[in-house]
Amino acid sequence: MKKQIKLPTKRQFITLIPFAVLYSCFIIFGNLEKAEELGVVRNIGRILSWLAISYALLLLLCVLLFNREALFSYLPEKFRLSVPRKREGKWYIFVLFFLVCLLCYLPFYLMYYPTWYSNDAVWQTQQILGMVPKSNHHPYFHTLLIQFFFRIGYRLSGTITGGLAFYTFWQMTVMALVFAFILYKLYQRGTRLLWLVLALLFYAVLPFNAVLTICMGKDEFFAAALFFYTWTTAEYAVPGRDISGKHENLRYAVYFASGLMVCLLRSNGIFVFLGTTVILLISDCLTKRKERKKYLCAAFVLLCYLIWQGPVLRALDVQPPDIIESLTMPVQHLTCAYLKGGELTEEEIEMIERVVPTERLEAEYNPYLFDPVKALIREEGNQAAIEEQKWEYLKLWFRAGLRNPLQYVVAEVRQTMGYWAYRVRDDLFVYGEYFMVDNPFGVTTERKLFSYNDSLAMGNYLTGFQNFFNRVWSLGLNTWLMLFALAYAAYEKRNLMPFVPSLMLFVTLLLAAPVYNEFRYVYGMFITLPFLFSYSFGTGEGGALSGEEAAHEKMV
């Protein structure tokens, strides 16, 4: 029987407007050079044109997706969509997903044994060995994780190489388990076989995942924590989902653990957690839901985080990161205003000169990378001035911004555009910086089961794949797809909370990204995309509400 095609309601028409505005802003700001060449009238025309195009495309795609079953019902029986049905989970299905992922990563591990060693990991290893003071510049909790596995491997092998290899193997294993869990949940909720196979290829075969699982860095464990935090947020946020029963306490334990790991494994994690918790609270207030346990868990997460950041790190004699590390955007804003014709008073210029040698600022300033100016301030500047007069420098940033909004906007766009613009000035560079850097331990790559020529072939393959990836993908596209899934969830009146952790991660990058186009900073969002797509576009658990429940559902 053919189904009737449904036209959008007034609410659905209105729902897509903010997303169309957002996409048009991404397009216009992502091409500032062209805007500078045009007059005011032509720029207004461009803005209106892109707004209309964005809205029309969003509406067309949402209408087609919303009516996909009706549209397929006009096709012959063999081409119609089958109704997805939930599957009974079997333990061996999970094990199968895990083994496929692990076996796909093992060749990379054996070929680049003991690890892909970055400068950050070298510094953390030096802290473990007592060669440098302990520091929370890279979260010290992650340093302790490295230390736990490293020491076991060191005792078993008697070498630093063995310690690094042991840690890397278990990091790879943990990530394979996380990906297997995601695939298992997609399998359970009735994801069609084609999409399940594509998801398996996404996690198991995509070289980015294999490479990052053997790279020593905090980003992999943070990505895993962010996924579980997203999953548990979805578990508790979607109205009508029953979380009571024998697994209730386990789910609350995972909610607490994942939230705490998000806070401890990246410096911006606490903002992701707090932002998500606040929006969840607002959502529950609007829908009049009364589930206090998750807020007790959230309060306990915050308490544990504060205890860790304060008494525990002081007791361990861990040095906090310097203040300039967290001031990417204010410094870039003020530097752009100072160098690019902004209006600053003599008093404001004098305050800037107390912090950084302005005669060298122009030579060091990079609108896409904060590191050169940050290094200049650390080596030749005076961070103490900011520490001593935090409120005065905050007022300086605010006052200068009121008089120089254009320079602030340009600085913000240049520093963050890689995360929201579909095309950027430089290709995404992923592999080279994660290989084997020079280190004081004499650790070098020791291929296992593979020859030197095999290693060269693998290197050529990775380079070729990266070049291909840059032609068809970008970090901005990650954001565009995530926002489209969010737009469709809003169109179908689904609860939007599962998207909030990824949105909060994106917002923190807009506020403090030190590099404008760094894959590892959005890796947590990247691995969560299949789960979010399944939630938004699927028709199983977490799908569209219907009947009386949809009528009473309110969205944040």
Side-chain angles (χ1 to χ4, degrees):
M1 182 178 179
K2 295 181 179 179
K3 297 183 179 181
Q4 185 177 2
I5 294 177
K6 298 177 182 179
L7 296 177
T9 64
K10 181 180 178 181
R11 181 197 65 80
Q12 290 173 326
F13 277 117
I14 295 173
T15 295
L16 297 180
I17 293 176
F19 294 97
V21 171
L22 199 56
Y23 281 120
S24 59
C25 287
F26 288 164
I27 295 168
I28 297 298
F29 284 121
N31 197 358
L32 276 182
E33 290 79 6
K34 185 172 183 178
E36 291 172 353
E37 299 170 358
L38 305 175
V40 175
V41 175
R42 293 182 67 183
N43 273 316
I44 292 175
R46 285 180 69 226
I47 293 171
L48 294 177
S49 298
W50 279 117
L51 180 60
I53 292 170
S54 301
Y55 184 80
L57 286 175
L58 274 174
L59 183 63
L60 175 62
L61 291 172
C62 287
V63 169
L64 292 176
L65 284 169
F66 190 75
N67 291 285
R68 59 188 180 274
E69 291 187 13
L71 293 172
F72 274 95
S73 69
Y74 287 87
L75 297 176
E77 185 72 31
K78 63 179 179 179
F79 295 112
R80 295 180 188 177
L81 289 175
S82 59
V83 178
R85 302 180 186 279
K86 292 183 182 179
R87 303 182 180 99
E88 183 180 353
K90 300 291 186 180
W91 65 269
Y92 55 81
I93 299 295
F94 173 82
V95 172
L96 178 63
F97 286 141
F98 165 68
L99 290 177
V100 170
C101 290
L102 187 63
L103 290 174
C104 286
Y105 305 154
L106 273 175
F108 291 85
Y109 175 68
L110 296 174
M111 188 167 290
Y112 295 106
Y113 182 95
T115 189
W116 280 40
Y117 211 19
S118 66
N119 287 313
D120 294 349
V122 170
W123 187 20
Q124 290 176 288
T125 308
Q126 289 176 307
Q127 293 176 52
I128 293 169
L129 296 175
M131 298 170 64
V132 296
K134 301 172 185 176
S135 172
N136 201 37
H137 177 87
H138 300 295
Y140 191 68
F141 182 80
H142 178 251
T143 303
L144 290 180
L145 285 179
I146 296 178
Q147 178 176 291
F148 174 77
F149 291 105
F150 174 83
R151 285 185 172 175
I152 295 175
Y154 185 81
R155 287 170 183 170
L156 292 174
S157 66
T159 65
I160 291 177
T161 297
L164 299 177
F166 192 81
Y167 167 81
T168 304
F169 176 81
W170 285 106
Q171 177 180 271
M172 178 179 64
T173 302
V174 168
M175 295 307 295
L177 287 169
V178 171
F179 296 150
F181 180 84
I182 300 173
L183 291 164
Y184 184 66
K185 286 299 174 182
L186 295 180
Y187 171 82
Q188 277 188 314
R189 74 186 305 272
T191 301
R192 292 184 176 90
L193 183 60
L194 172 62
W195 302 112
L196 193 62
V197 170
L198 290 176
L200 177 60
L201 294 175
F202 177 88
Y203 289 116
V205 178
L206 196 64
F208 288 150
N209 293 320
V211 167
L212 287 174
T213 59
I214 65 167
C215 170
M216 286 188 68
K218 55 187 175 291
D219 308 288
E220 296 72 35
F221 281 131
F222 174 76
L226 186 69
F227 165 74
F228 277 108
Y229 185 56
T230 299
W231 175 66
T232 52
T233 299
E235 287 288 305
Y236 299 120
V238 178
R241 184 169 296 191
D242 182 16
I243 60 170
S244 60
K246 62 180 181 179
H247 297 303
E248 179 184 10
N249 291 333
L250 177 61
R251 290 185 179 183
Y252 279 116
V254 174
Y255 181 68
F256 165 77
S258 61
L260 185 58
M261 293 301 101
V262 164
C263 294
L264 296 180
L265 286 169
R266 280 203 76 93
S267 56
N268 61 337
I270 181 62
F271 301 106
V272 174
F273 174 78
L274 288 177
T276 303
T277 302
V278 169
I279 294 177
L280 182 58
L281 178 61
I282 295 172
S283 174
D284 282 355
C285 289
L286 291 175
T287 55
K288 299 180 180 179
R289 298 178 71 204
K290 298 179 180 179
E291 295 178 11
R292 296 184 177 86
K293 284 186 178 180
K294 61 175 174 280
Y295 295 110
L296 291 174
C297 285
F300 196 43
V301 166
L302 184 58
L303 176 63
C304 291
Y305 173 78
L306 293 175
I307 293 173
W308 171 262
Q309 289 293 106
V312 174
L313 290 184
R314 283 196 297 270
L316 294 173
D317 196 24
V318 177
Q319 299 176 354
D322 54 11
I323 191 170
I324 201 64
E325 182 68 26
S326 59
L327 296 179
T328 299
M329 290 309 171
V331 173
Q332 291 291 75
H333 292 159
L334 285 168
T335 303
C336 185
Y338 177 77
L339 296 175
K340 306 301 180 183
E343 181 185 345
L344 296 171
T345 66
E346 290 184 7
E347 180 187 357
E348 290 168 343
I349 294 174
E350 183 182 345
M351 290 183 69
I352 294 173
E353 289 174 340
R354 287 182 214 156
V355 177
V356 59
T358 52
E359 67 276 4
R360 292 198 51 198
L361 199 53
E362 186 170 4
E364 298 296 330
Y365 175 63
N366 184 330
Y368 303 96
L369 177 66
F370 182 49
D371 286 357
V373 172
K374 180 170 62 176
L376 177 63
I377 294 173
R378 281 176 175 161
E379 295 168 7
E380 302 181 31
N382 179 23
Q383 297 185 64
I386 304 176
E387 287 274 13
E388 294 165 2
Q389 295 181 295
K390 292 178 182 177
W391 180 244
E392 293 302 317
Y393 276 93
L394 177 61
K395 289 192 290 186
L396 162 66
W397 171 77
F398 183 74
R399 287 196 309 265
L402 292 178
R403 278 184 273 108
N404 304 282
L406 178 60
Q407 284 80 4
Y408 274 36
V409 169
V410 170
E412 182 71 27
V413 167
R414 296 284 190 258
Q415 188 65 37
T416 64
M417 64 185 302
Y419 304 106
W420 47 263
Y422 178 65
R423 281 285 174 248
V424 293
R425 60 188 289 271
D426 297 319
D427 284 341
L428 180 63
F429 191 64
V430 176
Y431 298 126
E433 62 187 287
Y434 296 117
F435 189 48
M436 177 63 69
V437 300
D438 293 333
N439 60 86
F441 318 114
V443 175
T444 58
T445 301
E446 301 176 11
R447 283 171 290 277
K448 306 294 182 182
L449 304 179
F450 294 97
S451 70
Y452 179 73
N453 289 333
D454 290 330
S455 179
L456 289 178
M458 179 65 81
N460 292 333
Y461 164 71
L462 291 177
T463 301
F465 184 85
Q466 180 172 276
N467 293 334
F468 170 75
F469 189 86
N470 281 318
R471 286 195 290 269
V472 300
W473 207 269
S474 67
L475 299 187
L477 185 57
N478 295 344
T479 303
W480 283 40
L481 291 174
M482 186 270 291
L483 290 174
F484 175 64
L486 175 63
Y488 185 71
Y491 185 88
E492 278 214 343
K493 209 171 185 180
R494 304 186 184 198
N495 192 288
L496 307 184
M497 278 306 304
F499 293 88
V500 174
S502 291
L503 283 174
M504 290 296 106
L505 177 64
F506 176 69
V507 170
T508 62
L509 293 175
L510 296 183
L511 297 176
V515 186
Y516 91 111
N517 191 31
E518 183 70 28
F519 181 77
R520 62 194 179 95
Y521 290 154
V522 291
Y523 188 53
M525 180 200 300
F526 185 72
I527 69 166
T528 308
L529 285 178
F531 173 77
L532 295 179
F533 290 168
S534 175
Y535 174 84
S536 187
F537 304 126
T539 56
E541 185 179 355
L545 303 175
S546 58
E548 213 170 78
E549 187 178 16
H552 291 88
E553 170 70 354
K554 295 181 180 179
M555 295 181 299
V556 176

